[in-house]
Structures are given as structure tokens and as C-alpha cells.
Amino acid sequence: MTSKVGYNIDLEKRLQGSVPKKGHTQAHPTLLSSTSSSDDPRDVLQGEDRAWFSHWKPFLAGLLLSLVVVQQFPRSEQPVICSPNASSVCPAASPIAPSVHADLLKQLEISYATEGFKINSFALLGGAVKIPTEMFDDMKVPGQDPRWDVFNQLHGYIDSHFIQVYRELRKTTINTYGLVYHWQGSNPDLKPLLLTAHQDVVPVEPLTVDTWLYPPFSGTWDGKWIWGRGSCDDKPGLIGSLTAIEKLLEKGFKPQRTIVLAFGIDEERGGIVGGTGIRDYLLSAYGPNAFALLIDEGGTLEAHSDGVIATPAVAEKGHFDLRMSISTPGGHSSVPPEHTSIGILAALIAELEANPFTPHLYRNEPYFTALQCQALVDPEMDDELRDLIGKARYSDKALADLEERLFRNPLSRALAGTTQATDIVHGGVKTNALPENAFAIVNHRIAGHSSVSTVKTHIAAVLLPIVKKFNLSLDAFGESLNGELSQKTSGHLKLSDAWGTALEPAPVTPWLKNPAYDLLAGTILNVVKTSARWNNPDIPVIVAPGTMTGNTDTRYYWNLTQNIFRYGHVSRFDKYNGAHTVNEAILADAFIDLIRFFTIVILNADESKIL
């Protein structure tokens, strides 16, 4: 194949300025850098470089503009918090308990503490876990794939076990299996409360079934843990919220504020049927920005030796799946070229992994605030790190030193920056036939200070040296590489959005001076301080804003409310082995506290007049 090519790798690095050497951390990415005193980068071009730039200028200009827009503050111009203590960025919340409904809550707390209620609740969750609502990526829409039929069983289970909900709430089905419940409040001037969860679970890998301590869809309660796929993600949210409302209905509670429940059906594959359908229905039935706040699965609480830190997620990373497709001439394997398409693909993957995205701390982002809050309450943090976190509020040098220390940890790098992971590779069909096509899919989770366009710019800049090395033509996200030079190429590389599902980082829910955040934080404090699990009303509790590294169905709900919180009130220590893996299990007592959380947040929201 032939193509016109003409480009300069150094030019791309000068333009991009965001591809540091491996292991190097830049203080701030430079958008344009050169030795020329001219403001026009074209003045540094010579010959074929100028031809390449002329063709790519519109594409690069658009991508570089996105960098300028997203990186709002150079490091030296970031807001400086000149405060000797962390209270300005980590405000102390006070526990919030219902007053009008204090007697009702007291009755419910007594009921929740009984062995009968606990055993029945464990059985309710276990029964839902027994129903294998697995979600596969290749499932067709409901009605065209029999694997959806199991959701009918779950709906029958809900209707038969939550009698009051079935009788009193208005149920609407969305795209056959999505569920929306409406509990009408007496005061139409109050915006509704929206509680969301999802009914589906990730599939169980058949080859792992024998490694489970209990069968993956047994729903077994062993006296401490409730076992099975979905016991952590997300049937506790589904059954916990329904249980809280069922008990409120049994006690005759009549809300002033309308309550809406929305349960998706394919969150584990991106919500393409359930999340979108529920979004469209809620926007049509209630309107944009119609809800006071939304609570979905997400952030956790962490117990330390002398305190608890809860991190409701106020933000959610963006998402981009890169597809790198290589096409090269075929032929018999007995006369191979120097590099096959698979070999070239391996080089491209290696180059991406050698040039990861550089993480940064920004003072106006949730992760920085969470660090300040952790420094206040975590007795296990060493004094040097605590001091560095405090100084980073007003010192750029301390901020850079904090980055250097924190980013030795992969989790910290993931929380603060954009990540990439090569998850799918495919190529070749036979051992004696040269592979004509090979592709890889690389998953990116995009930091809140970045964007899809920034990620594309980075990818193109990183891969250009390999494109030149292997003499490839290039289609980078719809832009063909055409210069003035013509020559025979060895193959073609296409960079694209793998599934057409690129997602920008979610809007950040404000956490300072926001009544909705204050209500949630106060509720969390109350639930923890009155919990039999902690048995310590004086236990220090800090609520700090968090960021979801994954995506939930809330990706579709941005227009429903400005107050989106992703919070599950379950600690990682309450999960036997985490979610999406073998031996998924939730600590039974933690599930009771989750029911308490839903109950109290409903009552607190009902009494609030400032939401």
C-alpha cells in the first residue's frame, strides 16, 4: 500500500510537551516549547516538517486547545489555601438525626437490632444473590436474548418479598427490566430524593467455580458473611434501599419529600439499555435538575484504629477505550518480513506503557481534600507525611514533594491521574499464515482535570516515533496523515474509539457550602456514631469527598441533579475478597448498617427544607 507521509517526531514532542521520559515527573506540562523566540511554532519547521504541520495543524490545534481549557491553572497559579489548619478544605460536619421523626427512628433502630430482623435481612439479600442476573457484554436488547429472562425471576422475588413497596409505590418498567419506583410526597415544593442501584452482576468465570468457598449463587449466610456474586456489587444497594422503605411503610411513614428509586439492568456493561432508558424516563417524567440529590453505589468508609474516614464520591473519572488496529501484507510464514503486524502492535503497546500519563495533585480537586481530611484523623500516618500534606495547602514546593512521595504508590497515581491498561489483544488466524490484521484495546480512566481530547493528543504523540520507525501510514482518530512526501509504507495504523463510548470526566458535585453534601455527611456521621458495630458515640469520623475511578450508571444522570453522590456505606474490610472476583461476600453486620443508612438519609432528607 502507498501513502503520503511527512512528519517530525521532535516537532510533535515540542507541541505536546506531555510525554516525559519514563520515571520523570514534570512540574507542569508545557504546551509549546522551542528554542525559537517566535510565538509561531511553524518558524522552527524545516522542509517536510512544514508540510506535515500544515496538514495536521487543525487537528493539533483542536486537541491542544482542549489542554488549555482543561488545565485551568498552571501549578504556580493554582488557588493557594493560606490556612494553618485543614478546616478550610476539610470542614468538620456535625451528625444529623431526624427530629420530627425521632420516635419513628427509635422504633426502627430497636427493630433493626433484633436477631429476627437481622436474620430476615440476611435471607432477603441472600435470596436476591441466588438469582443469577449476569450481564454479558454481547447481550442483545431485552426481548431478543433469552439471557434476560432471569430478570423476571428477580422482579417476582422483589414483588413477593416487599409487599408494602408493591402495594404503595408506583412502579414503572423501563426497557422491559429497568425499575423505577415513585413514592409520592405530600409537599410538591420539595425536590425528590433519588436512590439508585443496579440489578445485574458480572458473570462468574466457569473455570473458577470450584475455587469458591461457597457456590457463587448460593447466597449463603455462614453466621458472619453473606456469600455470592452480587453480594457486594450491587445487590446490597438494591435490597438495602427496598428494605428501608418497606420498614418505613410498615410503620406508617408518609413522606413530605417524594422518593424515587431507580434500578438499572446492565450497569456492568455500561448501562447502554438500562441507564439510558432510565435517564430518558426520569427527564421526561420529572424534568432536568428535578432532584434534590442522588445517591448511588460507590464511595466507602474506612476504619482506622482511632477513627473512621468516609469518602462519598463527588466525582467520577472519564473513560476512553483506544483501539489500535494494524494492517500489514499477508503471505506465507516461511518468508516473513522483519516485523509482522503482531510484532509492530507489541512495540506500540510497549511504547504506551513506557510513557504513562503523568499524575498531578490539584488543590481544587477531591483527592487533595481527601488527603487533608485523612491527615486530620489517621493515627497511622507518619508525622513527616502529615506535615507535608499540611504545607501543600500553600507551598508549591511542598505540593511537588508530596507528589513525589505519594506517587510511588500505584493507587495514589491512579487516584490522581489518568490511567491506561491494555486489556484485549488479538491477531492472526493460523500458524503458517502471516497475520494481516492485529488489534489491541487499551482502557483509559481519565482524571477530572483532563479530557478525552487530551488523552487522544497524548496517544498520538507517544506513538508517532513507532509509526515512523516501522514506516506506517496513520489514521489518528479520523485524521489521515498526509504530507508532501510519497513513499511505500509497510502497513497502516488506525487509532480509534473502540466502542464509540468515550466519556468525559463527570461534573464535580460541590462539597463546600453545599446543603446536600452537608446533609449526606451529617447522616454518615450519625449512622457511624450510633452503630452497634463501632459501639462508640465519640469515635472520630471524617467525611471527605472522593473520586470514583470506575463508572456507574450516574454517567447518564448528570442532567437530573447537580448533587450526585456515589456512596455505599460499606468498608473494603466488610468485603471478604472484593467484587468482580471469586469469593465475593459482604459482612452481614455491614449490610444492617447499610439499611440504617438508607433509613436515616430518607428521614433526614424528608425534614430538610434547604435542599
Side-chain angles (χ1 to χ4, degrees), residues 433-499:
L434 295 175
E436 295 172 306
N437 298 285
F439 72 87
I441 296 178
V442 184
N443 176 261
H444 296 80
R445 302 295 172 140
I446 306 172
H449 56 264
S450 188
S451 68
V452 173
S453 293
T454 303
V455 169
K456 290 180 177 180
T457 300
H458 175 91
I459 292 167
V462 167
L463 296 183
L464 273 170
I466 307 303
V467 170
K468 182 175 184 180
K469 176 181 177 180
F470 291 103
N471 191 31
L472 305 173
S473 59
L474 174 66
D475 177 342
F477 311 111
E479 291 288 333
S480 297
L481 184 61
N482 277 320
E484 295 178 347
L485 303 179
S486 296
Q487 65 184 56
K488 186 175 179 62
T489 62
S490 300
H492 179 70
L493 170 64
K494 181 177 181 179
L495 307 177
S496 62
D497 180 345
W499 320 112

Side-chain angles (χ1 to χ4, degrees), residues 11 62 125 133-134 158 181 236 258 341 384 444 448 450 503 527 562:
L11 165 68
L125 178 56
T133 49
E134 294 176 291
I158 292 171
Y181 292 91
T258 294
S341 61
E384 181 182 349
H444 296 80
S450 188
L503 179 71
V527 175
Q562 297 178 352

Side-chain angles (χ1 to χ4, degrees), residues 130-247:
K130 289 179 180 179
I131 303 171
T133 49
E134 294 176 291
M135 179 49 51
F136 299 89
D137 289 343
D138 63 346
M139 284 174 68
K140 298 177 182 179
V141 297
Q144 298 181 17
D145 194 317
R147 288 176 290 181
W148 285 103
D149 294 348
V150 70
F151 284 82
N152 288 319
Q153 185 180 345
L154 180 62
H155 290 188
Y157 180 84
I158 292 171
D159 291 346
S160 62
H161 286 79
F162 298 95
I163 304 299
Q164 298 299 323
V165 171
Y166 179 76
R167 291 174 178 172
E168 301 295 332
L169 273 60
R170 185 178 75 237
K171 182 175 76 171
T172 302
T173 56
I174 310 297
N175 288 340
T176 307
Y177 295 113
L179 295 174
V180 174
Y181 292 91
H182 176 99
W183 192 3
Q184 181 62 45
S186 61
N187 187 345
D189 294 330
L190 298 177
K191 286 187 174 182
L193 168 66
L194 178 59
L195 303 176
T196 64
H198 62 90
Q199 307 167 54
D200 59 307
V201 302
V202 296
V204 173
E205 167 57 57
L207 295 177
T208 68
V209 170
D210 291 341
T211 66
W212 286 70
L213 296 176
Y214 295 90
F217 292 106
S218 66
T220 299
W221 172 53
D222 67 358
K224 183 177 181 179
W225 302 91
I226 302 168
W227 295 86
R229 174 65 84 235
S231 60
C232 294
D233 184 9
D234 177 35
K235 287 183 177 174
L238 174 74
I239 301 301
S241 57
L242 286 169
T243 300
I245 290 182
E246 182 77 5
K247 299 306 291 185

